[in-house]
Amino acid sequence: MTSSPRPANLFFLPRVLGQRLCVYHGPASDKAPLAALVFVHACGEEMNKSRHMVALQARALSRAGCAVLTIDLLGCGDSSGDLQDASWSDWLADIEAACNWMTEHLPQTPIWLWGQRAGALLASAVAQRRTRPTHLLLWQPLVSGKPQVQQLLRMKAAAGLGAGMPAGEAITDIKQALAQGGAVEIGGYTWPAALMQALESAMLERPVAPGRVAWIEVSNRPDPSLAPTSSKLLETWRGLGAEVDSRAVRGPAFWQTTELEVAPELLSATVSAVLQAPGLTA
Amino acid sequence: MQQINVFAELLAVLDEVLSLGGRSAAFDRQTPLLGAVPELDSMAVVTLIGGLEERFGITVDDDDIDGATFASVGTLADFVAAKLNT
């Protein structure tokens, strides 16, 4: 059955330090939704560059009979506060609040945490501490926050290239400032030291049974495959009994391309992965 | 890896990162990059570095991130070739 998706409902969820912008996409049909997904966005510019893909995906999932809730975390997007006010635990609490909203709204529906890039780190941390089974849908997940922090520090250094500031020096300065507990401005966002440190030490948490994992990466190679770090981690997880559906699809790295790009194969692979997960009732 | 392959692979990375849609085929060693290509902002530079690391299996150190390295396609190609030969 293909009905046109219902319009998305935009609302503000009252939270600590203000409110968070949320967008809810209900399932297109009048039947009970197959899955309730809470989207956990990526960092900074990656979040902005991914918005259109996330919207397309939410609508595709809605057409397929799923419910989707997106939330802008504290200090991000259109939610209250500046990044400077945010902590890692604030973000985890925001995500849990979003899950609770979904559960109150759709008590019988399996909950999925859909995390993209650094959002996957947060999603897996929340899934681990929830008492109800929580499935994970991971888009291009970061296995650790370290590369994200390295990227951010490099961005700061790259911004100074025009002014002739040597990058090595710039990065050393920033690391010193962070070690002293100061905040760092990078690309218009002010990162508090504690948040940067939490991101750097974050690791993707092992899934908790009976939660399932759908892991999808996008690659522009003709023969796409998962990143070596991903394959290695998944081997460990599967060895411990985790049920993981992992896929690599062809498409552009839309979260970081200069122009807005679309990855249609990711859209269909994601719907397929969510619908194929055993245990979902039709 | 021979010089000519580095160049072709480099153009492929530039094409992806800057969403050039094949226009990198018109680039030569003299084509200016940093400061000349408006799409090459801080984030694009970092994405480019990551792309080079992944494509060529090299590690770009903090001290390598230099305005001169990214000045032109030629300077960048030389940088990558030098990394591959160390």
Side-chain angles (χ1 to χ4, degrees):
Chain A
M1 165 197 262
T2 43
S3 350
S4 37
R6 293 192 183 147
N9 300 319
L10 196 147
F11 66 96
F12 282 93
L13 186 70
R15 289 286 305 136
V16 187
L17 289 179
Q19 46 192 12
R20 311 290 178 264
L21 178 69
C22 293
V23 180
Y24 175 71
H25 302 255
S29 77
D30 290 324
K31 298 198 286 190
L34 303 172
L37 297 99
V38 172
F39 177 65
V40 186
H41 58 71
C43 277
E45 272 313 295
E46 290 190 4
M47 173 191 186
N48 293 333
K49 288 177 189 268
S50 303
R51 277 193 194 280
H52 64 296
M53 268 299 292
V54 173
L56 286 172
Q57 186 69 77
R59 294 205 282 274
L61 285 163
S62 161
R63 280 194 298 274
C66 304
V68 180
L69 181 73
T70 69
I71 176 170
D72 288 1
L73 302 176
L74 174 62
C76 304
D78 294 312
S79 283
S80 300
D82 297 318
L83 191 61
Q84 201 163 5
D85 306 324
S87 73
W88 194 256
S89 57
D90 284 333
W91 284 353
L92 296 176
D94 275 352
I95 298 161
E96 281 176 342
C99 289
N100 293 340
W101 186 93
M102 268 301 215
T103 306
E104 279 162 34
H105 198 72
L106 300 167
Q108 307 303 323
T109 312
I111 297 266
W112 289 72
L113 276 168
W114 167 20
Q116 179 193 16
R117 296 276 295 159
L121 296 165
L122 291 160
S124 75
V126 173
Q128 246 213 6
R129 48 197 232 185
R130 276 174 58 83
T131 49
R132 292 174 61 126
T134 309
H135 307 296
L136 286 170
L137 167 62
L138 306 177
W139 270 11
Q140 217 76 21
L142 291 178
V143 166
S144 113
K146 260 193 157 71
Q148 182 85 81
V149 171
Q150 184 192 43
Q151 243 185 24
L152 289 166
L153 297 184
R154 281 175 167 179
M155 265 182 63
K156 179 78 177 170
L161 281 185
M165 155 87 97
E169 214 179 279
I171 291 178
T172 306
D173 284 350
I174 303 163
K175 285 182 174 171
Q176 247 170 33
L178 288 172
Q180 282 156 20
V184 178
E185 182 275 320
I186 300 172
Y189 299 97
T190 302
W191 286 80
L195 184 57
M196 191 78 99
Q197 278 144 17
L199 174 58
E200 190 174 35
S201 54
M203 305 283 294
L204 204 57
E205 308 271 356
R206 198 153 38 88
V208 178
R212 296 192 46 85
V213 182
W215 180 303
I216 315 181
E217 290 182 19
V218 173
S219 161
N220 45 41
R221 304 289 166 87
D223 202 2
S225 58
L226 297 181
T229 39
S230 309
S231 302
K232 203 162 158 239
L233 182 69
L234 289 179
E235 207 184 299
T236 309
W237 282 8
R238 284 172 172 137
L240 294 163
E243 305 261 5
V244 184
D245 170 1
S246 60
R247 309 177 187 214
V249 299
R250 187 111 192 259
F254 56 89
W255 58 93
Q256 62 186 16
T257 49
T258 306
E259 299 290 324
L260 289 187
E261 305 206 21
V262 181
E265 286 191 31
L266 177 59
L267 297 175
S268 46
T270 299
V271 171
S272 157
V274 172
L275 295 190
Q276 274 172 24
L280 295 185
T281 48
Chain B
M1 205 183 266
Q2 299 189 13
Q3 186 72 24
I4 189 158
N5 289 345
V6 169
F7 197 77
E9 287 287 328
L10 176 57
L11 292 188
V13 175
L14 284 168
D15 216 85
E16 269 168 44
V17 172
L18 302 176
S19 302
L20 298 174
R23 294 196 307 276
S24 65
F27 288 1
D28 60 22
R29 284 186 53 90
Q30 278 67 50
T31 306
L33 290 175
L34 195 68
V37 178
E39 293 91 334
L40 197 54
D41 61 6
S42 320
M43 185 162 178
V45 168
V46 173
T47 307
L48 178 55
I49 293 170
L52 295 175
E53 287 180 319
E54 206 200 332
R55 198 73 158 226
F56 295 105
I58 58 175
T59 302
V60 176
D61 304 315
D62 294 344
D63 290 317
D64 291 331
I65 304 173
D66 191 277
T69 305
F70 292 87
S72 70
V73 176
T75 57
L76 196 50
D78 292 343
F79 167 75
V80 172
K83 279 280 178 179
L84 289 169
N85 292 330
T86 42

